[in-house]
Every structure is written in structure tokens, then in C-alpha cells.
Amino acid sequence: MFRRKKLSAEDPATEGDPEEMVVIVDQAVNPYLALFHEPAGYRAEQIRALRNRLVALNPDGEPKTLVVTSAVRAEGKTVAALNLAMAFAELERQQVVIVDADLRRPSCERYLNLNPEPGLADVLLGRVPLERALRPAGFRRLMMLGAGSRVTNPAEVLGASRIDELFQRLKERFQYVVIDTPPVLPSTDAGVLSARADGTLLVVRLEHSLKKQSREALRVIQDMGGNVLGSFVNELRGQDPESDQRLAYEPREAEED
Ligand SMILES: Nc1ncnc2c1ncn2[C@@H]1O[C@H](COP(=O)(O)OP(=O)(O)O)[C@@H](O)[C@H]1O
Ligand SMILES: [Mg+2]
């Protein structure tokens, strides 16, 4: 949807000049970013509950790197990682960054309606300093490190020992580093990243991935030395206020009181 607006109505010199028009494009972020679109809704609360459990697992409040992954593609990893990063960013005094480590099919920037810019791949290849690649994600103080330039050898780029150094540097600056990754079964990237992160969350989309695929992904991560903290289940029937009104808990309208 477009809306046209005059830049300077007072200035007759620009009248009729096409440059006086600005085009405002409606923000088109991914509709499943519950923390962004429906912060008071049931889904946002579920994500905060997960965040609170992760915070409880870290009583000393030490900086942590958290990988979000799943067995196969399209299970909701990127949406889950962004929602979780936003939930962490809601906490006071927490510096949080979302890192798009899916160098194969990056989508964090697209889901946040941001333009692709230098990011993780450029930092790992030493082309751009970290400080230049970090930028606001458009939600509170959440920062983003996008995937960056496309590379032909993502496994090599991510496998370099530079990633350990990068995680360390990110932890000096952020309390929570949430890392979106490619799926576990088709490539080694997620396993490698899990092994180097403090914790891993496995996203499972019911009725999409096969149970045996999720089990296999869990085994791969554990075999590589990853620390699986839990799973993030998408599309649980009967656990959604749309299908079960007992779970709805919308704020009361003023006139209802
Ligand atoms: N909870 C959800 N319910 C329904 N659709 C979802 C949900 N989370 C994500 N999606 C949609 O499913 C597709 C895959 O999600 P995405 O997060 O990109 O998966 P992945 O990163 O695992 O490939 C996207 O079109 C996304 O908008
Ligand atoms: Mg993804």
C-alpha cells in the first residue's frame, strides 16, 4: 500500500517536482512475529515463558549464545529466533543481538523488512569490522548481525576458528546472542554452531517434520557436543486460543470492569 505525502507544502519552488513526494511503504514484517504484532497475545506470552525458563537456567546472568535450529527447513526457526530475541530485548538492561547464521537461505532481514547489509559472512572473512556490521533491528534495543554477503562455501566460513572469537566478542557486549541457523539434517552448519554455542533450542513443527527427523537432529547436535536446552514446538493443536478458548487471556476492555 502506498501513501503519498508532500515533502514541503510551503515551498512553491518544488511544486510539481516529483522529488517532493515521499513514498511510505507499510511496514511488512513477518506476520508471525508475535512479540512485534501482538505483544499482549497468547503466543507472545508463550515465548516470554520460554524466555523466563532460559533466564532461570542462567541465574548468574552470564552472557550466553543460543542457537535456534531444527531438523529440516520451514519449521519456523527464523520466526522463533526473532521472537525469542525480541522477548529477551523486552527485559530491562539486557543488550540482545540476533545473528543470522543461515548463510544459505538468510531471512532475518527480510522478516524485519530491513535491507541486506554487510553482516556475519563479511565479519568472519575479515572484510568488515564487527561494529560496522551491527545495527538496530527495529525493535526496542535489539541489535542485528545479518548474514551479510553471499558466499559459496558457508560451511568453511562458519567452520573457521574465527567464529569462536566472534561469539566471545559478542558476549562481551550482549547478554543474549540468539543465533538463527540452517536446518541440521541437510548441512553441517547448525551442528558446528551448536557445538560452539552455550545452548541450543530445537524447533519442531508438528505435522511437518517427521518425528524420526527431529530425533535424528537431536542426536546429531548432541554427538557434535551441542547442549540442547529444550524444544520449541510450533502448531500444537488444542494449545492455541483460536481452538481452545480456555487458553485465551486477553486484557479486559475498560467498559467490562
Ligand atoms: N508459528 C507459526 N505458525 C504458522 N506459520 C509459521 C509459524 N512460524 C513461522 N511460520 C511461517 O512458516 C514459514 C517458515 O518459517 P521460518 O521461520 O522461515 O522457518 P525456517 O527458518 O525453519 O525455515 C514462513 O513462511 C513463516 O512465516
Ligand atoms: Mg530460517
Side-chain angles (χ1 to χ4, degrees), residues 29-52:
V29 295
N30 182 286
Y32 297 102
L33 294 179
L35 271 283
F36 185 93
H37 292 292
E38 293 171 74
Y42 172 79
R43 286 196 183 87
E45 265 320 297
Q46 292 291 94
I47 294 153
R48 286 187 195 107
L50 172 66
R51 172 203 68 193
N52 292 346

PDB file of all heavy atoms in Angstrom, residues 29-52:
ATOM      1  N   VAL A  29       6.553  -6.594   8.059  1.00  0.00           N
ATOM      2  CA  VAL A  29       7.338  -7.615   8.744  1.00  0.00           C
ATOM      3  C   VAL A  29       6.548  -8.916   8.816  1.00  0.00           C
ATOM      4  O   VAL A  29       5.336  -8.926   8.655  1.00  0.00           O
ATOM      5  CB  VAL A  29       7.783  -7.172  10.158  1.00  0.00           C
ATOM      6  CG1 VAL A  29       8.731  -5.991  10.093  1.00  0.00           C
ATOM      7  CG2 VAL A  29       6.605  -6.842  11.015  1.00  0.00           C
ATOM      8  N   ASN A  30       7.244 -10.000   9.035  1.00  0.00           N
ATOM      9  CA  ASN A  30       6.602 -11.314   9.054  1.00  0.00           C
ATOM     10  C   ASN A  30       5.427 -11.354  10.039  1.00  0.00           C
ATOM     11  O   ASN A  30       5.563 -10.947  11.181  1.00  0.00           O
ATOM     12  CB  ASN A  30       7.650 -12.366   9.423  1.00  0.00           C
ATOM     13  CG  ASN A  30       7.071 -13.758   9.409  1.00  0.00           C
ATOM     14  OD1 ASN A  30       6.327 -14.121  10.304  1.00  0.00           O
ATOM     15  ND2 ASN A  30       7.382 -14.522   8.385  1.00  0.00           N
ATOM     16  N   PRO A  31       4.274 -11.842   9.585  1.00  0.00           N
ATOM     17  CA  PRO A  31       3.070 -11.786  10.439  1.00  0.00           C
ATOM     18  C   PRO A  31       3.147 -12.661  11.680  1.00  0.00           C
ATOM     19  O   PRO A  31       2.342 -12.494  12.592  1.00  0.00           O
ATOM     20  CB  PRO A  31       1.955 -12.279   9.509  1.00  0.00           C
ATOM     21  CG  PRO A  31       2.650 -13.072   8.456  1.00  0.00           C
ATOM     22  CD  PRO A  31       3.994 -12.432   8.277  1.00  0.00           C
ATOM     23  N   TYR A  32       4.101 -13.597  11.737  1.00  0.00           N
ATOM     24  CA  TYR A  32       4.170 -14.486  12.907  1.00  0.00           C
ATOM     25  C   TYR A  32       5.085 -13.953  14.007  1.00  0.00           C
ATOM     26  O   TYR A  32       5.336 -14.649  14.990  1.00  0.00           O
ATOM     27  CB  TYR A  32       4.589 -15.900  12.479  1.00  0.00           C
ATOM     28  CG  TYR A  32       3.565 -16.503  11.554  1.00  0.00           C
ATOM     29  CD1 TYR A  32       3.785 -16.539  10.186  1.00  0.00           C
ATOM     30  CD2 TYR A  32       2.355 -16.979  12.050  1.00  0.00           C
ATOM     31  CE1 TYR A  32       2.819 -17.052   9.326  1.00  0.00           C
ATOM     32  CE2 TYR A  32       1.395 -17.486  11.209  1.00  0.00           C
ATOM     33  CZ  TYR A  32       1.634 -17.521   9.840  1.00  0.00           C
ATOM     34  OH  TYR A  32       0.678 -18.006   9.001  1.00  0.00           O
ATOM     35  N   LEU A  33       5.592 -12.736  13.810  1.00  0.00           N
ATOM     36  CA  LEU A  33       6.419 -12.145  14.875  1.00  0.00           C
ATOM     37  C   LEU A  33       5.477 -11.615  15.957  1.00  0.00           C
ATOM     38  O   LEU A  33       5.135 -10.433  16.003  1.00  0.00           O
ATOM     39  CB  LEU A  33       7.331 -11.057  14.315  1.00  0.00           C
ATOM     40  CG  LEU A  33       8.401 -11.561  13.345  1.00  0.00           C
ATOM     41  CD1 LEU A  33       9.240 -10.421  12.810  1.00  0.00           C
ATOM     42  CD2 LEU A  33       9.285 -12.619  14.013  1.00  0.00           C
ATOM     43  N   ALA A  34       5.055 -12.514  16.828  1.00  0.00           N
ATOM     44  CA  ALA A  34       4.024 -12.212  17.822  1.00  0.00           C
ATOM     45  C   ALA A  34       4.453 -11.088  18.763  1.00  0.00           C
ATOM     46  O   ALA A  34       3.632 -10.265  19.158  1.00  0.00           O
ATOM     47  CB  ALA A  34       3.707 -13.469  18.618  1.00  0.00           C
ATOM     48  N   LEU A  35       5.735 -11.058  19.128  1.00  0.00           N
ATOM     49  CA  LEU A  35       6.194 -10.035  20.065  1.00  0.00           C
ATOM     50  C   LEU A  35       6.056  -8.648  19.448  1.00  0.00           C
ATOM     51  O   LEU A  35       5.872  -7.669  20.143  1.00  0.00           O
ATOM     52  CB  LEU A  35       7.667 -10.281  20.439  1.00  0.00           C
ATOM     53  CG  LEU A  35       7.974 -11.187  21.635  1.00  0.00           C
ATOM     54  CD1 LEU A  35       7.749 -10.461  22.926  1.00  0.00           C
ATOM     55  CD2 LEU A  35       7.223 -12.489  21.612  1.00  0.00           C
ATOM     56  N   PHE A  36       6.129  -8.595  18.138  1.00  0.00           N
ATOM     57  CA  PHE A  36       6.044  -7.328  17.428  1.00  0.00           C
ATOM     58  C   PHE A  36       4.584  -6.953  17.174  1.00  0.00           C
ATOM     59  O   PHE A  36       4.164  -5.840  17.430  1.00  0.00           O
ATOM     60  CB  PHE A  36       6.797  -7.462  16.098  1.00  0.00           C
ATOM     61  CG  PHE A  36       6.885  -6.194  15.303  1.00  0.00           C
ATOM     62  CD1 PHE A  36       7.983  -5.354  15.438  1.00  0.00           C
ATOM     63  CD2 PHE A  36       5.876  -5.840  14.416  1.00  0.00           C
ATOM     64  CE1 PHE A  36       8.070  -4.183  14.710  1.00  0.00           C
ATOM     65  CE2 PHE A  36       5.956  -4.667  13.685  1.00  0.00           C
ATOM     66  CZ  PHE A  36       7.052  -3.831  13.833  1.00  0.00           C
ATOM     67  N   HIS A  37       3.797  -7.912  16.685  1.00  0.00           N
ATOM     68  CA  HIS A  37       2.441  -7.589  16.248  1.00  0.00           C
ATOM     69  C   HIS A  37       1.402  -7.674  17.361  1.00  0.00           C
ATOM     70  O   HIS A  37       0.448  -6.920  17.362  1.00  0.00           O
ATOM     71  CB  HIS A  37       2.011  -8.540  15.118  1.00  0.00           C
ATOM     72  CG  HIS A  37       2.777  -8.334  13.862  1.00  0.00           C
ATOM     73  ND1 HIS A  37       2.667  -7.201  13.099  1.00  0.00           N
ATOM     74  CD2 HIS A  37       3.686  -9.116  13.235  1.00  0.00           C
ATOM     75  CE1 HIS A  37       3.457  -7.284  12.057  1.00  0.00           C
ATOM     76  NE2 HIS A  37       4.098  -8.438  12.108  1.00  0.00           N
ATOM     77  N   GLU A  38       1.545  -8.665  18.226  1.00  0.00           N
ATOM     78  CA  GLU A  38       0.543  -8.874  19.279  1.00  0.00           C
ATOM     79  C   GLU A  38       1.222  -9.116  20.606  1.00  0.00           C
ATOM     80  O   GLU A  38       1.163 -10.223  21.151  1.00  0.00           O
ATOM     81  CB  GLU A  38      -0.299 -10.117  18.961  1.00  0.00           C
ATOM     82  CG  GLU A  38      -1.189  -9.996  17.764  1.00  0.00           C
ATOM     83  CD  GLU A  38      -1.774 -11.364  17.440  1.00  0.00           C
ATOM     84  OE1 GLU A  38      -2.672 -11.801  18.184  1.00  0.00           O
ATOM     85  OE2 GLU A  38      -1.280 -11.992  16.503  1.00  0.00           O
ATOM     86  N   PRO A  39       1.879  -8.074  21.134  1.00  0.00           N
ATOM     87  CA  PRO A  39       2.655  -8.290  22.361  1.00  0.00           C
ATOM     88  C   PRO A  39       1.800  -8.712  23.549  1.00  0.00           C
ATOM     89  O   PRO A  39       2.320  -9.293  24.502  1.00  0.00           O
ATOM     90  CB  PRO A  39       3.333  -6.934  22.604  1.00  0.00           C
ATOM     91  CG  PRO A  39       2.608  -5.959  21.759  1.00  0.00           C
ATOM     92  CD  PRO A  39       2.012  -6.699  20.621  1.00  0.00           C
ATOM     93  N   ALA A  40       0.473  -8.454  23.491  1.00  0.00           N
ATOM     94  CA  ALA A  40      -0.377  -8.835  24.632  1.00  0.00           C
ATOM     95  C   ALA A  40      -1.044 -10.183  24.401  1.00  0.00           C
ATOM     96  O   ALA A  40      -1.827 -10.645  25.224  1.00  0.00           O
ATOM     97  CB  ALA A  40      -1.446  -7.763  24.858  1.00  0.00           C
ATOM     98  N   GLY A  41      -0.759 -10.837  23.294  1.00  0.00           N
ATOM     99  CA  GLY A  41      -1.459 -12.071  22.935  1.00  0.00           C
ATOM    100  C   GLY A  41      -0.881 -13.327  23.575  1.00  0.00           C
ATOM    101  O   GLY A  41       0.153 -13.295  24.243  1.00  0.00           O
ATOM    102  N   TYR A  42      -1.568 -14.421  23.305  1.00  0.00           N
ATOM    103  CA  TYR A  42      -1.200 -15.710  23.889  1.00  0.00           C
ATOM    104  C   TYR A  42       0.169 -16.186  23.405  1.00  0.00           C
ATOM    105  O   TYR A  42       1.001 -16.654  24.181  1.00  0.00           O
ATOM    106  CB  TYR A  42      -2.289 -16.718  23.510  1.00  0.00           C
ATOM    107  CG  TYR A  42      -1.970 -18.143  23.879  1.00  0.00           C
ATOM    108  CD1 TYR A  42      -2.124 -18.576  25.190  1.00  0.00           C
ATOM    109  CD2 TYR A  42      -1.524 -19.046  22.918  1.00  0.00           C
ATOM    110  CE1 TYR A  42      -1.827 -19.882  25.534  1.00  0.00           C
ATOM    111  CE2 TYR A  42      -1.231 -20.356  23.255  1.00  0.00           C
ATOM    112  CZ  TYR A  42      -1.382 -20.774  24.563  1.00  0.00           C
ATOM    113  OH  TYR A  42      -1.086 -22.055  24.893  1.00  0.00           O
ATOM    114  N   ARG A  43       0.426 -16.034  22.093  1.00  0.00           N
ATOM    115  CA  ARG A  43       1.694 -16.534  21.552  1.00  0.00           C
ATOM    116  C   ARG A  43       2.876 -15.783  22.160  1.00  0.00           C
ATOM    117  O   ARG A  43       3.898 -16.381  22.500  1.00  0.00           O
ATOM    118  CB  ARG A  43       1.723 -16.392  20.030  1.00  0.00           C
ATOM    119  CG  ARG A  43       0.848 -17.399  19.341  1.00  0.00           C
ATOM    120  CD  ARG A  43       1.167 -17.504  17.863  1.00  0.00           C
ATOM    121  NE  ARG A  43       0.249 -18.432  17.242  1.00  0.00           N
ATOM    122  CZ  ARG A  43      -0.928 -18.086  16.764  1.00  0.00           C
ATOM    123  NH1 ARG A  43      -1.344 -16.838  16.822  1.00  0.00           N
ATOM    124  NH2 ARG A  43      -1.720 -18.994  16.222  1.00  0.00           N
ATOM    125  N   ALA A  44       2.724 -14.457  22.286  1.00  0.00           N
ATOM    126  CA  ALA A  44       3.813 -13.666  22.864  1.00  0.00           C
ATOM    127  C   ALA A  44       4.072 -14.130  24.299  1.00  0.00           C
ATOM    128  O   ALA A  44       5.228 -14.248  24.719  1.00  0.00           O
ATOM    129  CB  ALA A  44       3.455 -12.183  22.838  1.00  0.00           C
ATOM    130  N   GLU A  45       3.003 -14.444  25.022  1.00  0.00           N
ATOM    131  CA  GLU A  45       3.159 -14.920  26.402  1.00  0.00           C
ATOM    132  C   GLU A  45       3.892 -16.256  26.449  1.00  0.00           C
ATOM    133  O   GLU A  45       4.704 -16.495  27.337  1.00  0.00           O
ATOM    134  CB  GLU A  45       1.786 -15.072  27.075  1.00  0.00           C
ATOM    135  CG  GLU A  45       1.335 -13.889  27.886  1.00  0.00           C
ATOM    136  CD  GLU A  45       2.440 -13.220  28.702  1.00  0.00           C
ATOM    137  OE1 GLU A  45       3.002 -13.873  29.593  1.00  0.00           O
ATOM    138  OE2 GLU A  45       2.744 -12.054  28.435  1.00  0.00           O
ATOM    139  N   GLN A  46       3.582 -17.137  25.498  1.00  0.00           N
ATOM    140  CA  GLN A  46       4.268 -18.434  25.439  1.00  0.00           C
ATOM    141  C   GLN A  46       5.774 -18.238  25.232  1.00  0.00           C
ATOM    142  O   GLN A  46       6.587 -18.945  25.811  1.00  0.00           O
ATOM    143  CB  GLN A  46       3.715 -19.278  24.284  1.00  0.00           C
ATOM    144  CG  GLN A  46       2.300 -19.747  24.461  1.00  0.00           C
ATOM    145  CD  GLN A  46       2.216 -20.783  25.567  1.00  0.00           C
ATOM    146  OE1 GLN A  46       1.946 -20.458  26.716  1.00  0.00           O
ATOM    147  NE2 GLN A  46       2.471 -22.025  25.234  1.00  0.00           N
ATOM    148  N   ILE A  47       6.097 -17.289  24.367  1.00  0.00           N
ATOM    149  CA  ILE A  47       7.516 -17.042  24.079  1.00  0.00           C
ATOM    150  C   ILE A  47       8.207 -16.422  25.300  1.00  0.00           C
ATOM    151  O   ILE A  47       9.332 -16.772  25.632  1.00  0.00           O
ATOM    152  CB  ILE A  47       7.664 -16.178  22.811  1.00  0.00           C
ATOM    153  CG1 ILE A  47       7.162 -16.991  21.606  1.00  0.00           C
ATOM    154  CG2 ILE A  47       9.110 -15.753  22.587  1.00  0.00           C
ATOM    155  CD1 ILE A  47       6.640 -16.176  20.484  1.00  0.00           C
ATOM    156  N   ARG A  48       7.477 -15.552  25.999  1.00  0.00           N
ATOM    157  CA  ARG A  48       8.062 -14.981  27.238  1.00  0.00           C
ATOM    158  C   ARG A  48       8.277 -16.075  28.285  1.00  0.00           C
ATOM    159  O   ARG A  48       9.242 -16.035  29.039  1.00  0.00           O
ATOM    160  CB  ARG A  48       7.159 -13.897  27.810  1.00  0.00           C
ATOM    161  CG  ARG A  48       7.210 -12.640  27.004  1.00  0.00           C
ATOM    162  CD  ARG A  48       6.439 -11.509  27.676  1.00  0.00           C
ATOM    163  NE  ARG A  48       6.223 -10.460  26.712  1.00  0.00           N
ATOM    164  CZ  ARG A  48       5.052 -10.185  26.136  1.00  0.00           C
ATOM    165  NH1 ARG A  48       3.968 -10.834  26.478  1.00  0.00           N
ATOM    166  NH2 ARG A  48       4.974  -9.229  25.236  1.00  0.00           N
ATOM    167  N   ALA A  49       7.360 -17.063  28.295  1.00  0.00           N
ATOM    168  CA  ALA A  49       7.518 -18.153  29.267  1.00  0.00           C
ATOM    169  C   ALA A  49       8.798 -18.932  28.967  1.00  0.00           C
ATOM    170  O   ALA A  49       9.551 -19.287  29.877  1.00  0.00           O
ATOM    171  CB  ALA A  49       6.293 -19.070  29.226  1.00  0.00           C
ATOM    172  N   LEU A  50       9.040 -19.170  27.688  1.00  0.00           N
ATOM    173  CA  LEU A  50      10.280 -19.860  27.297  1.00  0.00           C
ATOM    174  C   LEU A  50      11.489 -19.004  27.690  1.00  0.00           C
ATOM    175  O   LEU A  50      12.464 -19.506  28.251  1.00  0.00           O
ATOM    176  CB  LEU A  50      10.269 -20.113  25.783  1.00  0.00           C
ATOM    177  CG  LEU A  50      11.572 -20.655  25.194  1.00  0.00           C
ATOM    178  CD1 LEU A  50      11.855 -22.059  25.709  1.00  0.00           C
ATOM    179  CD2 LEU A  50      11.526 -20.665  23.669  1.00  0.00           C
ATOM    180  N   ARG A  51      11.404 -17.704  27.375  1.00  0.00           N
ATOM    181  CA  ARG A  51      12.499 -16.787  27.752  1.00  0.00           C
ATOM    182  C   ARG A  51      12.765 -16.862  29.256  1.00  0.00           C
ATOM    183  O   ARG A  51      13.911 -16.951  29.682  1.00  0.00           O
ATOM    184  CB  ARG A  51      12.113 -15.352  27.372  1.00  0.00           C
ATOM    185  CG  ARG A  51      13.090 -14.317  27.885  1.00  0.00           C
ATOM    186  CD  ARG A  51      12.441 -12.961  28.008  1.00  0.00           C
ATOM    187  NE  ARG A  51      11.437 -12.935  29.051  1.00  0.00           N
ATOM    188  CZ  ARG A  51      10.542 -11.959  29.218  1.00  0.00           C
ATOM    189  NH1 ARG A  51      10.509 -10.940  28.365  1.00  0.00           N
ATOM    190  NH2 ARG A  51       9.672 -11.993  30.206  1.00  0.00           N
ATOM    191  N   ASN A  52      11.690 -16.847  30.053  1.00  0.00           N
ATOM    192  CA  ASN A  52      11.862 -16.862  31.506  1.00  0.00           C
ATOM    193  C   ASN A  52      12.533 -18.145  31.970  1.00  0.00           C
ATOM    194  O   ASN A  52      13.339 -18.136  32.899  1.00  0.00           O
ATOM    195  CB  ASN A  52      10.518 -16.691  32.220  1.00  0.00           C
ATOM    196  CG  ASN A  52       9.951 -15.301  31.990  1.00  0.00           C
ATOM    197  OD1 ASN A  52      10.667 -14.403  31.531  1.00  0.00           O
ATOM    198  ND2 ASN A  52       8.681 -15.114  32.301  1.00  0.00           N
TER     199      ASN A  52
END
